[in-house]
């Protein structure tokens, strides 16, 4: 199974934000793909970067590190980083590590349309 088989990243542009929808597993093997997506020029100029975690099934410490680095990078570029709720495993890891307290949680794009 290749990296692209276990993490897919969809990019959607909205008025003031760009949403990166993560589908699958964010771990040591797939983290570089997310890192590249976060460093893309496509994200420049948007007030907010949203990581849509609702289809993310698994995250490990490498994935957490990428999210923390994304938060720092967004701050350096006068952007806000936000996340949507993830699977039970993802939410538990964010909570246990204390990261949930440092990340703004927003509704998933499909929840905003409902």
């Amino acid at each position: 199974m290749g990296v692209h088989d276990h993490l897919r990243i969809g990019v959607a542009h909205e008025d003031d934000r760009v949403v990166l929808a993560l589908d699958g597993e964010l771990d040591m093997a797939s983290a570089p793909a997310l890192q590249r997506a976060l460093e893309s020029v496509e994200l420049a100029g948007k007030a907010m970067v949203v990581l849509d975690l609702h289809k993310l099934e698994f995250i490990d410490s490498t994935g957490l590190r990428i999210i923390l680095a994304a938060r720092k990078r967004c701050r350096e570029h006068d952007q806000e980083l936000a996340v949507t709720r993830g699977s039970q495993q993802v939410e538990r890891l964010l909570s246990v590590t204390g990261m949930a307290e440092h990340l703004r949680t927003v509704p998933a794009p499909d929840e905003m349309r409902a």
Side-chain angles (χ1 to χ4, degrees), residues 21-54:
L22 308 182
D23 184 352
E25 300 179 2
L26 177 55
D27 57 19
M28 186 184 306
S30 61
L34 178 57
Q35 183 70 42
R36 284 189 301 275
L38 288 164
E39 292 172 353
S40 166
V41 294
E42 288 185 67
L43 305 186
K46 299 290 185 174
M48 182 183 290
V49 175
V50 178
L51 297 179
D52 184 349
L53 307 179
H54 85 274

Side-chain angles (χ1 to χ4, degrees), residues 10-110:
V11 179
H13 294 272
E14 298 176 3
D15 294 335
D16 63 340
R17 67 182 68 191
V18 61
V19 178
L20 280 72
L22 308 182
D23 184 352
E25 300 179 2
L26 177 55
D27 57 19
M28 186 184 306
S30 61
L34 178 57
Q35 183 70 42
R36 284 189 301 275
L38 288 164
E39 292 172 353
S40 166
V41 294
E42 288 185 67
L43 305 186
K46 299 290 185 174
M48 182 183 290
V49 175
V50 178
L51 297 179
D52 184 349
L53 307 179
H54 85 274
K55 290 187 178 179
L56 192 64
E57 299 163 7
F58 174 81
I59 186 171
D60 71 2
S61 60
T62 306
L64 290 176
R65 184 180 52 77
I66 295 297
I67 293 173
L68 283 175
R71 182 172 172 254
K72 180 181 181 216
R73 187 174 195 281
C74 283
R75 283 187 173 171
E76 290 170 355
H77 290 90
D78 294 322
Q79 295 173 306
E80 183 175 8
L81 177 72
V83 298
T84 66
R85 293 205 175 276
S87 70
Q88 186 175 3
Q89 186 273 340
V90 170
E91 289 297 310
R92 179 167 159 65
L93 188 60
L94 292 176
S95 176
V96 167
T97 60
M99 275 187 63
E101 298 171 23
H102 301 284
L103 295 171
R104 177 177 173 193
T105 302
V106 297
D110 57 344

